[in-house]
Amino acid sequence: MTSSASLTYPRWIALALARAFQTDDDAPGGRSPQALLGRGMACVGEEHRRWLLPLCQHLASLSAPVWLGMTPRTLAEHLDQRPEFFDAWDPAGPRLQVRRLLLRPARMTPPPFALEDLPLPAWHTVADLAAGLGIDLSMLDVLAGPAQRYREAEARPHRPHVQAIRHYRAVLVPKRRGGLRLIEAPMPALKAVQRRLLRSLLDLVPVHEAAHGFVAGRNVASHAGLHAGQDWVFRFDLQDFFPGIGAARIRALFRTLGMEEAVAEYLTTLCTVRTPRAVRERLQDDGGLTWIDTRRLAAPHLPQGAPTSPQLANLCAFRLDLRLDGLAARFGAQYSRYADDLVFSGAGTPALDAVTLHAWVKAIVEEEGFRLRPDKTRLMRAGGRQTVTGLVVNETPHIARADYDRLRAEMHRLGREPAVDLSLRAPLLGRLAWARQFVAPTRAAKLQRLFDAISFVQ
């Protein structure tokens, strides 16, 4: 019984029984057959004891992790499939109806094995969520309430189209090789709430060891260094990494962490966005969107630009990393991922079966709901230049000579000008800090001298 399924009369009965069975189930003996039977008969009447007793005996036999992991809705789905529940609809028997509703307070379900020791916040209700994020319920409704979960439609005279409040600003950035990159940046109010969510919940959940992007203690250098000095480097790229992760995955992630359905729905809305129609049409005019890409942007997805998106993407890609890491071990290689950049590398023995590895990677990526970019797949042997995330890794990670010469020439030119706009200082300093990590000390010192010679003015 999914949240979108129509609530038929049998489903309503099953949901009422599920709520009754879960009421006081944490009390001593609360899951015994007799205790379950008592609550069941209080819900639908003592005349239904005949089929309720075997149903309660079955429920009492479920293991504690299975029982505790069920929400009222998933338990109702389970009841709806049981043969004992089918017997309740015998025309010759008493009419089945709800006589009394028994309800329990909302509560989180236990997290899965190996995550039970995480100090996750106790957000049992939407009110708990709002308090944990430092906002009130009205503000939470503005940011992630039902109005934000609209379905896009054309306006008609008898049905004017009312849009939800826009909490994101779409920015189209030209790509170096042509086309436009979509950045969906949250407004300050939403961005502040997302940062609190990142600190209080998402950062507490570990990602796979193969993920190096946006992870504390790992970076581009650790990602590239893993593949330095190898006989072969096989690089793949995921297409539309952030937009390809939809609301269903995010909701399932929060449910896995134990959040109640209502809390998971609010959290999902806080972290996803629908791209406005005007922005999609602009991208289509540029020729950068296929029909599938347009559909993905029209549906709720992870925005590239929100502070929560990198960690959520890494968590959603955990199974992908797990399977690809196992595949690398099978081929005697190593694997790592930096955002959408997948890299395998290994020694010359055993000889690489590139066709088989490519086929396995493609199959696993598609099974996990992602897609590869065929134009970015590249096998690099030791005889040629091997690059990973812009760094040459034939021996030790370092920037390409052309990139070093380009940066040196630009700073040399700016150093000869009498005055340089101060707004250029920060981006140039970032490029310098990046380059100094991957060049020889003498070259790093030379770049620093060139930078110090530039006269920045307000």
Side-chain angles (χ1 to χ4, degrees), residues 4-20:
S4 60
S6 58
L7 193 60
T8 61
Y9 189 72
R11 286 172 177 163
W12 154 246
I13 297 292
L15 188 58
L17 275 172
R19 295 187 186 279

Side-chain angles (χ1 to χ4, degrees), residues 176 385 390 399-408 431:
R176 186 172 58 181
R385 191 169 73 167
I399 63 173
R401 177 61 185 266
D403 295 335
Y404 169 79
D405 290 342
R406 191 179 301 113
L407 177 60
R408 184 187 62 178
R431 292 171 60 191

Side-chain angles (χ1 to χ4, degrees), residues 75-88:
L75 178 55
E77 291 177 356
H78 183 73
L79 297 178
D80 199 28
Q81 302 299 319
R82 292 297 304 173
E84 299 90 347
F85 189 66
F86 296 159
D87 294 341

Side-chain angles (χ1 to χ4, degrees), residues 163-449:
Q163 287 189 343
I165 300 174
R166 297 290 185 193
H167 294 297
Y168 287 85
R169 180 171 60 93
V171 180
L172 298 178
V173 180
K175 296 181 181 179
R176 186 172 58 181
R177 298 183 180 180
L180 296 173
R181 184 186 308 280
L182 173 62
I183 304 296
E184 294 172 302
M187 298 298 185
L190 177 58
K191 189 173 186 178
V193 172
Q194 289 175 337
R195 282 178 171 162
R196 293 188 203 113
L197 173 60
L198 183 65
R199 291 194 302 267
S200 57
L201 174 63
L202 298 179
D203 278 345
L204 303 178
V205 186
V207 301
H208 195 275
E209 292 83 353
H212 287 251
F214 318 106
V215 180
R218 305 175 213 167
N219 49 33
V220 170
S222 63
H223 173 58
L226 186 66
H227 307 285
Q230 299 296 319
D231 290 328
W232 57 268
V233 176
F234 212 162
R235 196 176 69 204
F236 302 87
D237 196 83
L238 297 178
Q239 185 164 346
D240 299 326
F241 183 49
F242 288 108
I245 300 176
R249 283 193 184 192
I250 305 302
R251 189 181 302 108
L253 172 64
F254 287 126
R255 294 288 293 115
T256 301
L257 295 177
M259 301 299 166
E260 275 281 335
E261 291 177 353
V263 175
E265 193 65 42
Y266 271 87
L267 286 170
T268 301
T269 308
L270 278 174
C271 300
T272 57
V273 64
R274 294 176 187 263
T275 304
R277 185 188 301 273
V279 177
R280 302 199 308 267
E281 290 175 349
R282 174 66 182 87
L283 290 170
Q284 283 180 309
D285 292 342
D286 187 63
L289 283 186
T290 64
W291 180 82
I292 295 178
D293 298 332
T294 305
R295 290 289 301 272
R296 285 186 169 184
L297 291 179
H301 59 273
L302 279 186
Q304 184 172 354
T308 49
S309 291
Q311 179 70 356
L312 283 171
N314 279 337
L315 293 174
C316 288
F318 187 92
R319 265 180 56 93
L320 174 70
D321 291 332
L322 188 68
R323 296 182 66 184
L324 291 181
D325 192 46
L327 179 67
R330 177 66 179 83
F331 278 80
Q334 49 264 351
Y335 158 78
S336 66
R337 177 180 60 82
Y338 191 94
D340 57 357
D341 188 61
L342 315 176
V343 182
F344 295 79
S345 66
T349 54
L352 171 66
D353 185 352
V355 174
T356 303
L357 177 57
H358 181 276
W360 272 104
V361 171
K362 185 174 185 295
I364 291 174
V365 165
E366 292 179 354
E367 285 178 7
E368 294 302 321
F370 298 96
R371 293 180 298 163
L372 289 178
R373 285 192 58 175
D375 58 316
K376 290 291 189 76
T377 300
R378 188 178 178 189
L379 174 61
M380 298 165 285
R381 303 283 184 177
R385 191 169 73 167
Q386 299 170 327
T387 59
V388 174
T389 54
L391 298 175
V392 180
V393 295
N394 289 70
E395 296 179 358
T396 58
H398 62 275
I399 63 173
R401 177 61 185 266
D403 295 335
Y404 169 79
D405 290 342
R406 191 179 301 113
L407 177 60
R408 184 187 62 178
E410 182 176 350
M411 289 198 293
H412 179 72
R413 177 180 60 81
L414 293 174
R416 300 183 65 179
E417 295 184 6
V420 178
D421 190 346
L422 186 61
S423 63
L424 297 178
R425 186 180 190 278
L428 195 61
L429 185 61
R431 292 171 60 191
L432 172 61
W434 161 260
R436 291 184 62 175
Q437 300 178 71
F438 306 107
V439 295
T442 53
R443 289 187 171 184
K446 183 172 185 178
L447 290 176
Q448 186 65 52
R449 289 195 300 271

